[in-house]
Amino acid sequence: MPVTLHALVAECDHYLNVARIADYCPNGLQVEGRAEVCLLVSGVTASQALLDAAVDAGADAVLVHHGYFWKNEDARVIGMKQRRLRTLLLNEMSLLAYHLPLDLHAEVGNNVRLGHELGLQVEGPLDPSDPRSIVFHGTLAQAQTPEVFGERIQAALGREPLVIPGDRPIRRVAWCTGGAQGYIEQAVAAGVDAYVTGEVSEQTVHVARENGLSFFAAGHHATERYGVKALGDYLAQQFGIEHRFIDCDNPA
């Protein structure tokens, strides 16, 4: 049975508590398509490849973590943006996008889901007093060497991570999916043994080495596949619609 687009968006907005989280883009319905949804396609980023795959699948709506209309981006509808929006509008597909609310969520969030994929006991945000704290922390059941934990990441994500080994076994871990390498100093201050994220910067390596912290860059895309898929599965269960997660390859 189809669900109305209005009901689908309202449930997402409520479930992810969108109203309380300031962000760099509009969360929720970004492009309006047909009024009812039978097939929901999800993916990490609303790229042309994902939109084309959604059209081929016959999707009514597309759900992503990385949508459009970011703060300070060029507002003109030209080039790549025009082609993407044209694909959505001509095919009457809606686009729903959730950025920080999806990173933060305690059940389907990117960080919680990544922690589970890596076999961590998730303890929650590193700074629970900050409602926008997107760095999470947790523990391994048994201490592991940096090399073994790196192998665990590769097995879970299907991607070899960049590993900067620390000077001690790993038991306590902090992590944040995506492009969160700048939070490594929070991990150092918290006294964890390792920090995991998607991307790496030149200075990240020095911070890790000089503090004896193991650092793992496991890929922006690879670390953020799990939240949007979990959200799509939740919506499918809630409304009895079909959901397909489509993973468009991205090595970054």
Side-chain angles (χ1 to χ4, degrees):
M1 292 289 292
V3 61
T4 67
L5 177 63
H6 174 77
L8 190 72
V9 174
E11 177 62 23
C12 283
D13 289 353
H14 172 74
Y15 184 55
L16 298 179
N17 208 358
V18 166
R20 77 177 181 90
I21 301 169
D23 209 338
Y24 316 103
C25 61
N27 286 288
L29 183 63
Q30 292 192 339
V31 178
E32 185 177 3
R34 58 183 67 99
E36 293 186 329
V37 177
C38 291
L39 172 59
L40 176 68
V41 161
S42 67
V44 177
T45 298
S47 64
Q48 190 66 52
L50 178 63
L51 299 182
D52 291 343
V55 170
D56 290 342
D60 303 299
V62 179
L63 172 70
V64 297
H65 180 49
H66 300 138
Y68 304 151
F69 314 117
W70 297 90
K71 184 178 179 180
N72 297 324
E73 78 171 26
D74 188 345
R76 295 176 298 168
V77 182
I78 60 175
M80 181 177 72
K81 181 186 288 187
Q82 184 268 351
R83 293 190 295 273
R84 290 175 171 183
L85 291 174
R86 181 176 61 187
T87 300
L88 287 162
L89 294 169
L90 286 178
N91 291 280
E92 294 188 278
M93 287 193 311
S94 298
L95 177 66
L96 288 72
Y98 294 93
H99 185 232
L100 290 182
L102 190 57
D103 288 324
L104 292 165
H105 198 265
E107 295 173 358
V108 300
N110 280 321
N111 284 304
V112 166
R113 291 288 167 163
L114 179 62
H116 292 162
E117 291 291 325
L118 299 183
L120 291 157
Q121 178 63 47
V122 179
E123 297 173 14
L126 199 58
D127 182 3
S129 66
D130 181 0
R132 295 183 72 222
S133 177
I134 58 175
V135 180
F136 278 54
H137 70 119
T139 56
L140 291 165
Q142 293 183 328
Q144 298 179 5
T145 66
E147 292 74 21
V148 169
F149 191 57
E151 292 170 359
R152 185 175 198 146
I153 293 173
Q154 182 172 354
L157 304 190
R159 181 189 190 279
E160 183 178 1
L162 170 73
V163 180
I164 307 299
D167 60 7
R168 57 188 179 272
I170 297 171
R171 183 73 187 275
R172 295 185 60 222
V173 181
W175 69 93
C176 186
T177 65
Q181 63 269 40
Y183 291 107
I184 188 172
E185 293 192 25
Q186 287 188 19
V188 171
V192 299
D193 305 310
Y195 182 59
V196 182
T197 188
E199 299 183 17
V200 62
S201 298
E202 189 272 346
Q203 63 268 29
T204 315
V205 176
H206 300 299
V207 174
R209 285 175 175 167
E210 293 177 32
N211 287 281
L213 181 80
S214 291
F215 172 76
F216 303 86
H220 194 136
H221 176 90
T223 57
E224 296 199 321
R225 289 181 296 204
Y226 305 101
V228 72
K229 181 180 184 301
L231 178 58
D233 288 342
Y234 167 82
L235 294 169
Q237 184 176 30
Q238 287 291 110
F239 293 109
I241 60 174
E242 184 179 356
H243 166 236
R244 298 182 199 172
F245 174 75
I246 296 177
D247 190 19
C248 298
D249 181 60
N250 188 332

